[in-house]
Amino acid sequence: MDLVDIVTEEPRAGEVLLSMKYVGFCGSDLSTYLGRNPMVKMPVVPGHEVGAVIERVGEGVPEGLKPGMVVTVNPYTNCGKCASCRNGRVNACQHNETLGVQRWGAMRETLCLPWEKVIPASQLTPRECALVEPMSVGFHAVSRAQVTDIDVVMVIGCGMVGMGAIVRASLRGATVIAADIDDEKLALARQMGATYTVNSRTEDVHALLQEMTGGFGPDVVIEAVGSAPTYQMAVDEVAFTGRVVCIGYAKTEVSFQTKLFVQKELDIRGSRNAQPSDFRAVIRYMERKTCPVDRLISLEATPEKAAEAMQQWAENPGKVFRILVSF
């Protein structure tokens, strides 16, 4: 990881020039740093979790976007032609390119983007805006699960994305069970809406879930870790006729008892990125000012210290929620 100089772009017609204030490092950036991200096109400028201010606008940009506005960014592209786009699920575009993964990202002082990708958030600070995108991914998973107030929802993994799922399921009136291997994260999960918590490293997950759900198991399990054991846990523990929603990418092959797919008549669904409506929902939640922002930000670094911060995360990945780079 190096700090380099690049040319500042000027906004063309239909574009907005953003001045970055805070940009978050996420798990995919850590994977890229460690050489484990199969999606990335190297070399790459990382960053797709953005808190920014509009610097200038090009011709043809709607009047609602003005210099000085606090904004965040929808960092995904969509082709408009593939099956996903045809079905209106542009977040899962077959040819998506995410900032900081398949194309150069936002970890820089300024960035030009099409105005359609700029999301106003005038009631939030740029620092708060940098948390919107990762939480929106968790919000989207809850939408994919079609969670209602009669559901018991288990969220496996209490990182930023998992926390987003906990918040959204709680806002929908569901009973939420948070599972993780870190007691500090589980305590924070309770603050963000979880009714119950389970430490899957030190406690008997199956026995506790049976007790919490009256012997039924959770109606919904959201997998937000991306490992073989947690994928298997999701299928094993979900109730009969339940829904399993998968966010995390498992880094190895996963073996399942496929009879459970049939025997339980499960709905197993993927969840990728987020829809514009998910961004709006997160912003509305953040506007309440009940989100414990300071507890979600583990470290702030200048660009000069970004590599050092990333190395700290690599050495102790379980203790970091978000690292923000302050420009």
Side-chain angles (χ1 to χ4, degrees):
M1 185 180 285
D2 283 323
L3 187 64
V4 299
D5 290 322
I6 57 176
V7 176
T8 298
E9 304 167 275
E10 285 297 320
R12 296 173 293 186
E15 289 186 338
V16 175
L17 176 67
L18 302 180
S19 174
M20 294 298 147
K21 302 303 178 186
Y22 291 91
V23 182
F25 278 127
C26 85
S28 66
D29 297 317
L30 179 60
S31 294
T32 299
Y33 176 73
L34 296 173
R36 300 173 185 168
N37 189 346
M39 310 282 284
V40 73
K41 293 182 180 178
M42 300 289 277
V44 70
V45 176
H48 54 261
E49 302 174 359
V50 173
V53 172
I54 295 177
E55 189 79 13
R56 292 193 292 280
V57 299
E59 293 182 8
V61 172
E63 291 188 6
L65 295 174
K66 300 180 183 298
M69 290 182 67
V70 174
V71 298
T72 189
V73 164
N74 182 330
Y76 324 121
T77 64
N78 59 284
C79 70
K81 300 176 181 179
C82 71
S84 300
C85 291
R86 184 177 64 182
N87 292 328
R89 290 161 66 176
V90 295
N91 57 293
C93 173
Q94 182 178 351
H95 307 292
N96 167 68
E97 293 185 349
T98 299
L99 285 173
V101 185
Q102 294 91 355
R103 58 190 173 124
W104 280 18
M107 199 68 71
R108 46 173 134 171
E109 291 176 306
T110 61
L111 175 66
C112 278
L113 286 174
W115 70 264
E116 295 92 340
K117 297 299 180 183
V118 178
I119 304 172
S122 58
Q123 301 304 309
L124 304 185
T125 65
R127 187 167 176 261
E128 291 169 332
C129 281
L131 303 180
V132 169
E133 191 274 342
M135 293 195 74
S136 73
V137 176
F139 271 48
H140 182 65
V142 172
S143 294
R144 290 284 292 137
Q146 298 175 301
V147 169
T148 72
D149 58 350
I150 63 171
D151 287 319
V152 176
V153 179
M154 178 185 185
V155 179
I156 305 175
C158 295
M160 274 296 298
V161 172
M163 289 296 185
I166 289 166
V167 169
R168 187 55 164 162
S170 176
L171 288 172
R172 289 191 175 200
T175 299
V176 182
I177 303 169
D180 201 277
I181 60 174
D182 185 280
D183 286 331
E184 290 181 25
K185 289 185 176 180
L186 291 172
L188 183 54
R190 281 187 179 271
Q191 185 177 345
M192 298 189 74
T195 305
Y196 304 106
T197 58
V198 179
N199 187 316
S200 56
R201 174 176 284 168
T202 61
E203 297 180 293
D204 186 331
V205 174
H206 178 72
L208 284 172
L209 289 177
Q210 291 295 296
E211 180 182 336
M212 293 168 181
T213 63
F216 292 107
D219 303 288
V220 174
V221 178
I222 296 175
E223 200 290 333
V225 176
S227 72
T230 51
Y231 261 79
Q232 291 162 343
M233 181 192 299
V235 172
D236 289 344
E237 299 299 344
V238 72
F240 274 64
T241 68
R243 289 98 75 196
V244 176
V245 176
C246 308
I247 310 174
Y249 292 161
K251 308 303 185 293
T252 60
E253 291 186 359
V254 184
S255 297
F256 292 106
Q257 292 292 329
T258 54
K259 72 173 185 179
L260 295 178
F261 296 5
V262 178
Q263 188 179 24
K264 290 185 174 184
E265 198 175 48
L266 298 181
D267 292 335
I268 300 177
R269 306 173 184 180
S271 182
R272 184 183 182 192
N273 299 333
Q275 291 268 24
S277 59
D278 300 308
F279 282 86
R280 293 199 304 273
V282 175
I283 290 170
R284 188 170 184 177
Y285 160 67
M286 298 286 284
E287 286 174 347
R288 298 181 177 189
K289 303 298 182 181
T290 58
C291 179
V293 171
D294 289 338
R295 293 192 65 185
L296 295 175
I297 298 170
S298 306
L299 179 65
E300 293 184 28
T302 63
E304 293 79 10
K305 295 289 187 179
E308 182 180 323
M310 187 61 81
Q311 184 58 36
Q312 290 181 32
W313 192 7
E315 292 170 358
N316 195 5
K319 290 295 184 182
V320 172
F321 278 104
R322 271 301 173 271
I323 294 173
L324 297 189
V325 176
S326 171
F327 287 89

